Amino acid sequence: MSNKCAPKETSLNMGTEGGKLTRSYDLVEQMQFLFVRVVRARDFPNIPGHDFFVEVKLGNLKATTGFLENKSAPSSPEWNQVFAFEKDKIHDTNMEVLVKDKMGALDSPHSFLGKVQFSVFDVPTRVPPESSLAPQWYKLEDQNGTLLARGDIMLSLWMGTQADELFPHAWCSDATRMSGDAVGYTRSKVYISPTLWYLRVNVIQAHHLLFRFHPESSGTFVQVDLGNLRLRTSFSKGAKPFWNEDLMFVAQEPFGDTLVLSVEQGTLAEHISLGRLEIRLKDVEKRLDGGGADSRWFNLSRPGIIETSTEVKFASKLNARICLDGAYHVMDEPSEYCSDFRPSSKELWNSSIGVLEVGILKGINLMPMKDGVRTDAYCVAKYGPKWVRTRTIVDSLSPRWNEQYVWEVYEPFTIITIAVFDNNQLDSNSRAIGASDAIMGKIRIRLSTLDRGKVYTHSYPLVGLEPSGMKKMGEIHLAVRFSCSFMSSLNMYQLCMLPLFPLHHHVFPLSHAQLDNLRNQAAHIIAQRLSRSEPPLRKEIVYYMLDLRSDMWSMRRAIANFNRIMSLIGDFVAFWKWLEDIRKWKNPVATMLFQFLCFLVLFYPEPIFPMVIFYLLWIGLKRYLRRPRHPCHIDATLSGADVVTPEDLEEELDLYPTQLGGEPLRRRYDRLRIIGRNAQRMANDLATLGEKVQTLSTWRDPRATTIFLLFCGVGFLVTVTVPAHVVIFIWITYYLRHPRFRSILPSPSQNFLKRMPSKQAFIL
């Protein structure tokens, strides 16, 4: 791995000042905050039409509540807002809480209604899980410090940390310069992806259609709509059209959409509906086992006409199987760095095996993304259906988040994705024009490469691709821990032999084209759902985290995969060159020793298998001392990002379909990209397979390497005691066994190899 892009181990400063963090926040550095909760006021002068607000001043720090219109409760305005001032930024010991009126100028003396003064040294300290501090009433004073005749304000003040339960809702001191409508875009949030199911529509045949044209001269097809997605069957001719085709959709709970099937006659450009069927997804059968859904004859309605009892009934029918398959895992990420493999139905879930804890500490030397050398950075982490978003640190190139999040782990052979973005939603003008948040880079960490209970604290470089080339966007510091019980740790060795995907993926497999189409559907559904949250998790964020463009053609990726293949066959090339040197007697001593070894193997072939297995065992034990000490990370050199040309980057960053001019050029260019994608996939699959085999003895996955070495040890003992011809006979007999004696599921060795990590997940 390139040194400039390799993770660097760091230390975690827990801190002891002001108390300790709770157990749930033991992976992040402690940050002290002064919390000010402004609840409400009472006994104000009844001045109709005036808007009251509260201003908190602490040296050069200032925060303002929202404006309350004095209508329903003229004398008792209520704000109930919390401000958090970072202690390291407090340079004054005196704090003022001022009540003002919006009718006067904000800094004018006429807007002043009263104030309360405090000393920072007198503020008490609170450490969760203690109960929250009770707010108190304070009498307002005038500018000279004299108590006013009327006016009280309810406040509570305390010193706390980011472990405080009100911290996610607080208006942090670094964001107090912004308007109130933009504050929501700076807060940390947790998002949950919708539960997705595969919807299978098997269109079989249709009867008694009222054709508009002769059925032998014009084709008939079925058009199926679900939301904004439309799929069609192939054309069928004849009075009784027959298709028997599967159309696959992705549906989301709680299944509020309507499925529309329409039998059409004509061409794709011009066609006429012969009958229509609408089915609510809530009424569709759910399938959780291997049994197929029963076919049904559905009555079609006449398009555009409401049936009445006096008319002749419309007799057209459509035969179809429609069901929701809950035994599949709905793919929303590429399988090589997927974060979840559970089926859709919760009834089929296994119990969790552990807990993943991630502390997002800070960023270092981030790239300025805005004019004035500014960056408003936040992080997004995705594992399984749970997405987390840290708060936005405004105007900082070295932000400190120090936020900790927890995920349940059901499968250790998964990857968590963490990315950094620049927030462009803090300005109303940027939001009005739909400005996208800028991408600064992402990292991926495979859980199976982590030791149980060990805390990994590393800084990861953020590497991004721009039209000008590869650029380092800064560094992010993380603390990661994968915790599980001892029995769960032992069960993970057993998981290595089980299929990675649910049983349904092997009993009723889907084609690559179907999986690609369904993954795109799933990504669009998740993006639409999360973009409706408050604050929204924007579509460009979701698409980037799900790596929706991972299989698009790119010259850089193609070269990277080619280099991976060349790296794999490098050992074979070196052996061939060595063999050529032996044949040419460049080193007579080596040539004679090799000939002696060949004669020895010829006359005594029994030690061949034990020696090969012992050699693999010896390599694995030898590499144990040099096993990786830190999690994997994106390798810029392996990705080819450091030598890519601007022309290749222009092609890679181009949208799909291409934005180049000229219709013929666009068709040819897109066809070339599709061909290149298929070639790239084949090269990637070949490289991935070789790397998985190569990883068996590298201790990249400690548990898998342990199992492999145990197998080598047992194999060594077996081959020592059993004659070689017996082993070969048993292997050939097993390999050529009758299909009836074979399981439909992959063999344990295939399952074990499929779970091995490869370098695919670490290509930028």
Side-chain angles (χ1 to χ4, degrees), residues 52-63:
F52 300 135
F53 68 96
V54 175
E55 181 181 279
V56 182
K57 295 181 65 176
L58 189 57
N60 58 346
L61 302 177
K62 183 171 67 174

Side-chain angles (χ1 to χ4, degrees), residues 482-495:
F482 174 41
S483 304
C484 62
S485 64
F486 179 73
M487 292 303 300
S488 296
S489 181
L490 293 179
N491 290 336
M492 282 190 282
Y493 290 96
Q494 180 182 1
L495 287 175

Side-chain angles (χ1 to χ4, degrees), residues 142-440:
D142 59 15
Q143 296 282 20
N144 299 322
T146 304
L147 294 178
L148 297 176
R150 299 182 60 183
D152 300 329
I153 185 170
M154 179 180 283
L155 305 170
S156 61
L157 299 89
W158 69 95
M159 296 295 298
T161 66
Q162 70 269 36
D164 197 289
E165 66 271 12
L166 290 180
F167 180 73
H169 309 286
W171 191 337
C172 294
S173 56
D174 62 338
T176 53
R177 65 167 179 81
M178 297 182 307
S179 58
D181 58 344
V183 173
Y185 293 89
T186 67
R187 293 189 174 123
S188 57
K189 293 293 179 180
V190 175
Y191 305 85
I192 302 296
S193 297
T195 301
L196 304 178
W197 291 55
Y198 283 152
L199 173 65
R200 187 188 297 270
V201 181
N202 178 227
V203 181
I204 303 175
Q205 58 184 330
H207 283 179
H208 307 303
L209 297 177
L210 299 180
F211 293 100
R212 302 296 181 91
F213 313 102
H214 194 279
E216 297 296 337
S217 62
S218 179
T220 307
F221 65 94
V222 177
Q223 180 175 279
V224 185
D225 295 277
L226 180 64
N228 298 325
L229 184 65
R230 171 174 292 174
L231 297 179
R232 299 182 177 95
T233 66
S234 60
F235 286 89
S236 178
K237 293 184 178 181
K240 296 181 179 180
F242 183 84
W243 299 279
N244 195 24
E245 295 183 19
D246 274 345
L247 302 179
M248 299 290 294
F249 295 85
V250 175
Q252 58 177 319
E253 292 184 356
F255 305 124
D257 295 330
T258 300
L259 182 69
V260 181
L261 294 87
S262 177
V263 181
E264 305 283 329
Q265 185 180 22
T267 64
L268 291 179
E270 297 182 1
H271 47 84
I272 299 175
S273 178
L274 305 181
R276 181 183 174 91
L277 171 66
E278 294 187 3
I279 302 176
R280 296 186 306 170
L281 290 187
K282 292 182 178 179
D283 302 329
V284 173
E285 176 187 355
K286 296 181 180 179
R287 187 175 69 177
L288 303 182
D289 53 13
D294 297 330
S295 64
R296 293 178 53 191
W297 284 98
F298 296 92
N299 295 321
L300 299 179
S301 61
R302 185 176 302 176
I305 298 178
I306 302 176
E307 300 287 348
T308 63
S309 58
T310 59
E311 294 181 340
V312 177
K313 292 297 182 180
F314 192 62
S316 298
K317 296 179 180 294
L318 179 67
N319 186 217
R321 295 185 180 93
I322 304 176
C323 64
L324 288 162
D325 280 321
Y328 285 103
H329 166 68
V330 178
M331 298 291 296
D332 57 354
E333 302 166 291
S335 59
E336 184 59 27
Y337 32 89
C338 193
S339 61
D340 193 10
F341 292 98
R342 290 175 294 172
S344 300
S345 175
K346 296 182 179 179
E347 300 176 15
L348 303 178
W349 288 4
N350 296 322
S351 58
S352 63
I353 61 172
V355 171
L356 172 65
E357 299 167 275
V358 177
I360 303 176
L361 304 178
K362 59 185 177 181
I364 298 295
N365 299 325
L366 298 185
M367 182 69 65
M369 305 297 292
K370 296 184 176 70
D371 296 336
V373 194
R374 297 188 299 112
T375 295
D376 305 324
Y378 68 93
C379 294
V380 175
K382 195 262 182 189
Y383 183 78
K386 181 178 177 180
W387 303 62
V388 299
R389 170 179 177 161
T390 68
R391 70 187 189 280
T392 299
I393 307 298
V394 181
D395 291 348
S396 176
L397 300 182
S398 296
R400 294 199 305 159
W401 295 286
N402 282 308
E403 299 182 22
Q404 184 170 338
Y405 298 95
V406 180
W407 288 267
E408 279 192 292
V409 177
Y410 294 85
E411 172 63 63
F413 307 96
T414 48
I415 284 182
I416 181 172
T417 303
I418 305 170
V420 182
F421 303 91
D422 176 55
N423 198 334
N424 287 322
Q425 313 305 315
L426 306 183
D427 180 73
S428 57
N429 295 329
S430 298
R431 294 198 300 273
I433 63 176
S436 301
D437 291 351
I439 297 170
M440 303 188 69

Side-chain angles (χ1 to χ4, degrees), residues 71-131:
K71 293 180 180 179
S72 59
S75 60
S76 302
E78 184 171 343
W79 299 277
N80 200 24
Q81 284 188 234
V82 180
F83 301 98
F85 298 91
E86 192 173 345
K87 185 178 180 181
D88 293 343
K89 298 181 180 180
I90 298 176
H91 304 294
D92 199 328
T93 59
N94 295 319
M95 181 180 67
E96 291 184 336
V97 180
L98 301 93
V99 182
K100 294 187 175 183
D101 182 7
K102 184 183 177 183
M103 293 300 293
L106 293 184
D107 294 328
S108 131
H110 301 288
S111 67
F112 175 80
L113 298 178
K115 69 176 181 179
V116 181
Q117 300 186 71
F118 299 93
S119 173
V120 175
F121 297 115
D122 297 333
V123 176
T125 299
R126 173 180 177 260
V127 178
E130 293 178 350
S131 300

